[in-house]
């Protein structure tokens, strides 16, 4: 019998699949769809202190190989998501979920984390240090000093299980530098990775950028992201303390893609662009395909092959 159970920190999940934050998780209707799906967990849209409308539309486009988005953090505000998880916890006392939080300033990151600390939320918190789409704001985790400043301030008061959502890195020296920082903190997990920041996609008929904000620049997801997400999971697994779990995100279209992220060291796997395209039924398909892959390779559980990538 196949067993797809997995763990992040002390939390157990029946399978490794969940949504990537931002996709299908804006409001109660979206979140209930995820909750009623076969996904092993769910995460709420990155929340700021106050609700935000986000950037002007069009701000999301799909091409065959992937997506571009420049949403600009539209969300209903942290209080909305805290109320959702409060009710969720009463109805599903044994199912752990994730909340994503974000700040457009240092102060807002801390303020929104305080809201979670002071709430009855008993799941896992993911702080988003990698949003590429707020005009004028850099992606936090590309700035090591700012990352240290935020993590120092967070761990001075935050006692719930916490992880960071990272942007993609491309240079082995960057992995060394970031892992050295992250290893100093009692992080429960990292999530690698966010979209490939500031790509461009162009409409061939009109020679026009596909999204409106930021002159067409936006985060790229989907198949374009897969080799980069595999490398980011692998590179961090080789460098982080083993107690820090890894959520692998980027370019999942098939069960084989899920398998490969786990092969590189992922404990859980998030689905963004493909979830946006197919809706929550994607999770049943991916689980079927993942099981087929395990059987073909003679594995019975994820720990049989997690991190076991072979190299030449
Ligand atoms: C948005 C995009 C991201 O990639 C992210 O991590 C957070 C927010 C957005 O544009 O809303």
């Amino acid at each position: 019998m196949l067993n797809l159970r997995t763990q992040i920190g002390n939390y157990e999940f029946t399978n490794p699949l969940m949504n990537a934050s931002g996709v299908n998780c804006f409001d109660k209707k979206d979140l209930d769809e995820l909750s009623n799906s076969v996904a092993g967990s769910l995460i709420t849209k990155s929340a700021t202190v106050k609700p935000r409308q986000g950037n002007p539309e069009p701000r999301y486009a799909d091409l065959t190989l992937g997506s571009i988005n420049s949403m600009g953090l539209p969300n209903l505000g942290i209080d909305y998501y805290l109320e959702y998880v409060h009710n969720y916890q009463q109805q599903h006392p044994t199912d752990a979920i994730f909340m994503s939080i974000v700040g457009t300033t240092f102060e807002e990151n801390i303020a929104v984390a305080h809201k979670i600390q002071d709430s009855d939320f008993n799941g896992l918190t993911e702080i988003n240090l990698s949003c590429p789409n707020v005009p004028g704001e850099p992606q936090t985790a590309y700035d090591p000093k700012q990352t240290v400043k935020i993590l120092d301030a967070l761990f001075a008061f935050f006692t719930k299980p916490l992880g960071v959502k990272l942007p993609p890195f491309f240079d082995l020296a960057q992995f060394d530098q970031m892992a050295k920082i992250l290893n100093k903190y009692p992080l429960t997990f990292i999530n690698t990775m966010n979209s490939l920041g500031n790509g461009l996609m162009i409409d061939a008929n009109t020679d026009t950028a596909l999204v409106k904000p930021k002159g067409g620049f936006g985060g790229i997801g989907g198949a374009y992201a897969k080799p980069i997400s595999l490398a980011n999971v692998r590179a961090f697994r080789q460098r982080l303390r083993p107690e820090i779990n890894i959520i692998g995100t980027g370019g999942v279209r098939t069960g084989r893609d899920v398998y490969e992220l786990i092969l590189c060291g992922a404990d859980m796997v998030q689905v963004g662009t493909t979830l946006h395209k197919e809706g929550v039924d994607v999770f049943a398909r991916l689980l079927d395909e993942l099981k087929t892959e395990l059987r073909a390779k003679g594995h019975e559980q994820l720990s049989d092959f997690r991190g076991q990538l072979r190299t030449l």
Side-chain angles (χ1 to χ4, degrees):
M1 259 301 281
L2 293 183
N3 171 4
L4 297 182
R5 294 189 82 79
T6 190
Q7 250 180 283
I8 300 282
N10 296 324
Y11 296 81
E12 268 218 51
F13 304 93
T14 53
N15 70 66
L17 298 184
M18 60 187 290
N19 64 305
S21 183
V23 182
N24 218 117
C25 61
F26 179 76
D27 59 12
K28 177 172 160 45
K29 174 181 159 290
D30 284 350
L31 291 160
D32 283 347
E33 277 181 21
L34 289 171
S35 163
N36 293 326
S37 80
V38 298
S41 190
L42 63 84
I43 185 165
T44 55
K45 170 69 184 172
S46 290
T48 47
V49 171
K50 295 263 159 53
R52 284 172 59 94
Q53 291 208 317
N55 293 336
E57 296 183 344
R59 57 192 188 181
Y60 190 103
D62 247 330
L63 294 182
T64 312
L65 290 179
S67 61
I68 184 165
N69 91 82
S70 184
M71 304 301 288
L73 291 173
N75 77 94
L76 293 165
I78 186 66
D79 291 341
Y80 179 93
Y81 300 103
L82 281 172
E83 187 184 334
Y84 183 84
V85 301
H86 171 81
N87 294 327
Y88 182 96
Q89 286 174 178
Q90 295 197 322
Q91 284 158 26
H92 311 264
T94 59
D95 296 345
I97 54 176
F98 294 69
M99 291 190 78
S100 172
I101 56 172
V102 71
T104 58
T105 61
F106 169 80
E107 288 75 20
E108 188 176 27
N109 276 294
I110 303 310
V112 74
H114 267 294
K115 284 272 199 174
I116 299 224
Q117 178 67 27
D118 297 342
S119 76
D120 64 357
F121 179 55
N122 61 21
L124 296 120
T125 302
E126 177 176 292
I127 185 153
N128 183 352
L129 301 182
S130 46
C131 177
N133 297 337
V134 179
E137 295 298 330
Q139 285 167 266
T140 308
Y142 282 144
D143 178 345
K145 281 209 184 85
Q146 189 66 9
T147 302
V148 166
K149 184 177 167 190
I150 290 180
L151 290 175
D152 276 345
L154 281 174
F155 282 110
F157 69 90
F158 201 83
T159 57
K160 299 183 180 188
L162 181 66
V164 290
K165 175 90 172 265
L166 297 172
F169 295 99
F170 300 92
D171 190 309
L172 296 184
Q174 289 180 311
F175 291 118
D176 291 343
Q177 180 183 37
M178 187 51 58
K180 193 171 165 195
I181 292 171
L182 298 174
N183 276 333
K184 292 190 177 132
Y185 297 94
L187 283 167
T188 302
F189 69 95
I190 66 157
N191 182 349
T192 181
M193 59 187 215
N194 210 311
S195 53
L196 307 167
N198 295 300
L200 264 176
M201 286 185 180
I202 299 170
D203 183 321
N205 291 320
T206 62
D207 293 355
T208 308
L210 284 183
V211 296
K212 179 168 181 179
K214 291 178 63 178
F217 287 82
I220 307 294
Y224 299 107
K226 185 181 138 178
I228 317 297
S229 65
L230 291 176
N232 274 257
V233 169
R234 174 76 168 169
F236 277 112
R237 187 64 289 159
Q238 291 173 318
R239 288 166 176 77
L240 290 178
R241 290 186 287 107
E243 307 80 53
I244 301 180
N245 289 126
I246 297 185
I247 301 177
T249 306
V252 168
R253 292 190 295 179
T254 66
R256 174 67 197 178
D257 298 331
V258 177
Y259 180 93
E260 289 185 10
L261 281 164
I262 297 169
L263 195 65
C264 290
D267 298 287
M268 200 118 188
V269 170
Q270 294 185 347
V271 187
T273 297
T274 307
L275 169 60
H276 189 272
K277 220 174 199 169
E278 295 184 28
V280 297
D281 290 345
V282 73
F283 294 113
R285 175 176 71 77
L286 292 172
L287 281 184
D288 273 353
E289 293 172 2
L290 178 61
K291 287 180 193 160
T292 301
E293 191 67 24
L294 260 72
R295 283 191 201 99
K297 301 283 176 170
H299 300 313
E300 290 181 350
Q301 53 207 358
L302 305 185
S303 57
D304 290 350
F305 64 98
R306 179 178 291 121
Q308 302 297 313
L309 174 70
R310 294 188 202 179
T311 55
L312 300 174

